[in-house]
Amino acid sequence: MATNTEPIRDEAKEALNFLEEIIEEDLRTGRHSTIQTRFPPEPNGYLHIGHAKSICLNFGLAEKYGGKCNLRYDDTNPTSEEQEYVDSILADVRWLGFEPAQVLYASDYFDQLYEWAKVLIQKGLAYVDFSTPEEIAAQKGSPTVPGTPNQYRNTSPEENLTLFERMKNGEFPDGHCVLRAKIDLASPNMHLRDPYMYRIKHAHHHRTGDKWCIYPMYDWAHGQSDSIERITHSICTLEFAPHRPLYEWFIEQLGIFPSRQYEFARLNLTYTVMSKRKLLQLVQEGYVNGWDDPRMPTISGLRRRGYTPESIREFAHRVGVAKRENIIDVSLLEFCIREDLNRRALRRFAVLRPLRMVITNYPEGEVEWLETENNPEDRNAGNRTVPFSRELYIEQDDFLENPPPKYFRLYPGGMVRLKSAYIVECTGVEKDDHGQITAVLCRYIPESRSGSDTSGLKVKGTIHWLSAAHARTAEVRLYDRLFQVEDPASEEDFKKAINPNSLEVISNALIEPMLTETQPGDHFQFTRLGYFCTDPDSAPGKPVFNRTVTLKDTWAKEAKKQGS
RNA sequence: UGGCCCAUGGUGUAACGGUAGCACAGCAGAUUUUGGUUCUGUUUGUCAGGGUUCGAAUCCUUGUGGGCCAACCA
């Protein structure tokens, strides 16, 4: 329920990023009356958190300024693109919470592009080149040495038109020739040294089938596609900045709608890699279990890990937009999901590494159903009851025979509160022949029951627990960062930096009875442990949980300090 | 040794010639039946030199450092 006295979040006072400034200026001056953006992935892999930033930017800008945003697949290279990727991309965009104004494909424009190529040829601005790739590379010179023209550069437009048509008709094998724009072989910008427009590929395209055997290059397709869609602000990452003069040259020569390109710095995250090539390697070489492995920075991986769309959108907002190279601390991402889930996730009891506890003064066979809150941050989440009995399980970490200083949990002679139940005092331990503790013995304080505590006792620690007779089992997958170094991409071999302990599977964790009814995608906070999400691998009666992120753990820090 | 882009605490990001702020992380404390949450406090910064100006993170200039660019990839 929104309070009306609260001003609508003061967006006006919030600082604008450089793209917002450009847009507001364009709107103010009347250069555009509305804006049109697009998110243009190539369907050759799964989307990752870096794409999420771009999606949030493009759709977010359109939303903010009352414009529209298209999803356009940049499908100009049939040999690396697949329908599987097309489908996953749309699903990810929608999951993030955005609906494209239109779902379009660069391949929709192949006919138009072909016609426009002929226009350039007629203007003497494009020619068919039969040189080998090596020859062309050599003729391009280097950044400090101008390129040199070859014989094909002088072919007449008429001849080029014929040649280009023959290319299109499939009269030449792959790689036999290319269509090049005739611009400036001496340009200090290598992209202007007669760039390729078309290459021959007798390949099946996932949408156009076998209609074409020539396919446009990125530079020849992208700006024209933007123009066709009347994209006002074509936002891309920094590495495309040197392409901008070419982007503008094509549009100018064709005299078509002048879309403008703007570049921003792509997102990098600590302890992971972001390039599609590297992610593909992780998948293909079995370092992870697929694109949606919860350790992957892919959107599908984050989803399976338990990240919510809201948390990712918030993250994208918080990282900001600028032109400076950056590497965002993954702790910001973790902050965003904790912030979101703290508000929304229902609390449940789970014991990952069980230790038996026997309450020696509690009647055998008796069971009490005790009330506990589903979410202390949200009164509307209500309460639930959990069974309490003589034999319990607690977390191994919550008992120590010889506790270090500042240890608030249980130890011989010490007292803790069992969350939402009673205060117990440890009276001793049971050990096996090897000296291993098999049970913690306690006596409980009957008048310390939560909600009606008249004991007057104050304890420092509160721990979670499960009634042994009522506990159910579940598989719990504990994930840690995939890499051991902050910036694996800068390593000689990024795969050597892989964290060998990025996944720990606990196949017999204990959970409270209610938790067996969960559905894949459900989020919970396991009290005192962290946020967990039900995995699709769950089977009836045997749920599987992924740890999204731990709770902040100041004791772990303190213990580490003491240890070192 | 060509062109383009960039440079603000540990990490990001504001300040649009006029008090260097915010967030995350860190540290310290208060509250707490989650060592969670919440609250309070706090450490740390304008790459360097020159110039313009009453005044420069901001404008100019030189340097330094980083990134990108020559694929029949996008």
Side-chain angles (χ1 to χ4, degrees):
Chain A
M1 192 183 310
T3 54
N4 297 335
T5 52
E6 191 85 8
I8 321 152
R9 196 217 300 208
D10 221 338
E11 204 107 16
K13 273 184 195 159
E14 226 165 85
L16 301 178
N17 64 49
F18 79 101
L19 293 170
E20 292 168 330
E21 284 183 354
I22 289 167
I23 289 170
E24 294 202 358
E25 176 71 7
D26 287 345
L27 258 18
R28 190 182 315 121
T29 60
R31 178 188 187 87
H32 301 295
S33 55
T34 181
I35 67 163
Q36 175 73 244
T37 59
R38 103 270 90 117
F39 171 62
E42 182 187 16
N44 67 345
Y46 279 71
L47 262 26
H48 54 61
I49 183 85
H51 294 107
K53 174 180 177 179
S54 175
I55 291 167
C56 291
L57 236 193
N58 279 293
F59 283 93
L61 250 16
E63 220 164 72
K64 177 169 180 176
Y65 293 104
K68 289 178 176 172
C69 181
N70 295 339
L71 168 60
R72 181 176 73 237
Y73 293 101
D74 224 338
D75 56 348
T76 57
N77 185 1
T79 53
S80 58
E81 296 153 9
E82 291 174 28
Q83 188 61 39
E84 177 194 353
Y85 299 131
V86 170
D87 297 337
S88 76
I89 287 169
L90 215 210
D92 285 348
V93 168
R94 287 186 168 145
W95 178 77
L96 274 175
F98 299 105
E99 186 58 37
Q102 299 183 79
V103 177
L104 302 164
Y105 298 79
S107 54
D108 292 338
Y109 313 131
F110 282 174
D111 285 289
Q112 176 66 261
L113 257 15
Y114 178 73
E115 293 306 314
W116 277 338
K118 290 198 291 190
V119 170
L120 288 197
I121 292 172
Q122 273 157 352
K123 292 176 77 174
L125 295 174
Y127 62 99
V128 176
D129 193 326
F130 292 86
S131 309
T132 65
E134 295 73 28
E135 287 167 344
I136 291 178
Q139 289 159 3
K140 273 194 183 177
S142 75
T144 49
V145 179
T148 48
N150 61 31
Q151 55 184 303
Y152 305 109
R153 206 169 193 263
N154 300 319
T155 310
S156 70
E158 295 69 31
E159 171 103 28
N160 275 318
L161 236 26
T162 308
L163 258 14
F164 183 48
E165 188 173 352
R166 292 179 60 195
M167 271 176 74
K168 188 200 90 163
N169 291 340
E171 293 184 32
F172 306 121
D174 285 5
H176 191 64
C177 56
V178 292
L179 182 72
R180 288 225 260 169
K182 190 198 276 190
I183 307 180
D184 179 7
L185 284 170
S187 172
N189 182 339
M190 297 299 290
H191 292 282
L192 262 17
R193 320 254 268 225
D194 290 12
Y196 301 141
M197 293 170 64
Y198 277 96
R199 77 288 219 187
I200 299 173
K201 281 194 185 205
H202 292 269
H204 188 83
H205 186 280
H206 66 101
R207 293 193 77 241
T208 60
D210 298 313
K211 177 176 177 186
W212 298 88
C213 64
I214 57 171
Y215 290 94
M217 301 292 292
Y218 166 85
D219 286 302
W220 174 241
H222 203 96
Q224 282 53 255
S225 301
D226 283 343
S227 183
I228 290 169
E229 294 173 24
R230 303 186 82 78
I231 301 299
T232 53
H233 302 265
S234 177
I235 300 165
C236 63
T237 46
L238 250 29
E239 67 269 26
F240 290 99
H243 294 246
R244 190 176 351 111
L246 179 55
Y247 180 102
E248 289 168 353
W249 189 88
F250 280 136
I251 282 177
E252 202 174 308
Q253 298 309 319
L254 259 16
I256 56 181
F257 180 83
S259 297
R260 288 287 186 98
Q261 174 183 303
Y262 302 94
E263 309 89 17
F264 72 96
R266 64 171 349 124
L267 172 73
N268 293 293
L269 254 194
T270 55
Y271 298 104
T272 192
V273 291
M274 213 66 96
S275 86
K276 273 187 190 173
R277 199 190 109 257
K278 291 192 173 74
L279 294 176
L280 185 64
Q281 271 183 73
L282 292 174
V283 171
Q284 288 183 337
E285 295 170 27
Y287 292 99
V288 296
N289 304 313
W291 287 99
D292 68 343
D293 185 296
R295 291 165 292 184
M296 291 282 275
T298 50
I299 294 178
S300 50
L302 291 165
R303 174 167 59 227
R304 192 166 176 184
R305 176 77 170 256
Y307 277 82
T308 58
E310 292 82 357
S311 69
I312 293 175
R313 279 191 255 126
E314 176 65 17
F315 174 72
H317 178 253
R318 283 177 181 255
V319 298
V321 188
K323 302 187 76 160
R324 174 157 54 141
E325 299 282 343
N326 62 75
I327 177 158
I328 310 288
D329 197 321
V330 72
S331 66
L332 180 61
L333 218 210
E334 295 177 343
F335 167 82
C336 291
I337 188 59
R338 285 191 187 110
E339 181 190 46
D340 187 25
L341 260 17
N342 177 49
R343 248 183 13 242
R344 308 158 57 188
L346 300 180
R347 273 56 171 174
R348 291 291 182 264
F349 289 166
V351 174
L352 266 27
R353 298 176 178 86
L355 173 60
R356 232 172 106 240
M357 170 183 276
V358 180
I359 302 180
T360 51
N361 62 338
Y362 195 86
E364 249 170 278
E366 184 163 329
V367 177
E368 278 181 273
W369 289 82
L370 303 171
E371 281 226 322
T372 186
E373 68 273 17
N374 281 324
N375 184 346
E377 303 300 311
D378 178 9
R379 303 300 298 170
N380 296 326
N383 295 328
R384 70 185 188 286
T385 54
V386 286
F388 183 83
S389 63
R390 177 183 162 93
E391 289 206 18
L392 310 174
Y393 284 111
I394 63 168
E395 209 70 58
Q396 286 172 20
D397 282 353
D398 289 338
F399 177 82
L400 238 35
E401 222 178 349
N402 301 299
K406 293 195 222 170
Y407 187 77
F408 300 161
R409 281 110 98 145
L410 199 57
Y411 49 88
M415 286 186 167
V416 290
R417 156 83 56 188
L418 296 175
K419 169 77 178 161
S420 297
Y422 298 93
I423 291 175
V424 294
E425 177 179 16
C426 176
T427 54
V429 295
E430 245 176 42
K431 293 187 179 179
D432 63 14
D433 297 342
H434 304 96
Q436 290 294 307
I437 295 170
T438 53
V440 176
L441 305 179
C442 291
R443 83 182 172 89
Y444 84 118
I445 317 296
E447 56 276 18
S448 68
R449 182 171 155 151
S450 288
S452 54
D453 185 347
T454 56
S455 71
L457 293 169
K458 284 263 190 281
V459 294
K460 302 220 46 167
T462 299
I463 65 174
H464 61 282
W465 51 274
L466 246 23
S467 167
H470 301 83
R472 300 288 178 269
T473 61
E475 177 174 321
V476 174
R477 299 172 181 172
L478 305 178
Y479 296 99
D480 196 359
R481 47 181 61 137
L482 228 200
F483 291 91
Q484 294 170 307
V485 300
E486 277 200 4
D487 186 11
S490 71
E491 298 288 300
E492 41 335 302
D493 178 5
F494 79 103
K495 286 180 284 187
K496 286 194 177 131
I498 289 178
N499 175 7
N501 305 312
S502 59
L503 169 60
E504 180 186 356
V505 177
I506 296 180
S507 45
N508 283 300
L510 299 177
I511 55 175
E512 65 173 82
M514 282 185 76
L515 228 27
T516 53
E517 289 161 32
T518 179
Q519 297 300 314
D522 287 348
H523 302 275
F524 299 101
Q525 183 195 104
F526 289 177
T527 300
R528 297 211 307 133
L529 297 177
Y531 295 99
F532 291 76
C533 179
T534 311
D535 191 84
D537 286 349
S538 298
K542 181 75 185 188
V544 175
F545 296 101
N546 296 321
R547 184 173 69 195
T548 309
V549 67
T550 61
L551 257 27
K552 270 176 63 180
D553 190 348
T554 10
W555 169 243
K557 266 182 215 160
E558 176 63 27
K560 201 175 170 187
K561 239 188 280 175
Q562 290 185 16
S564 61

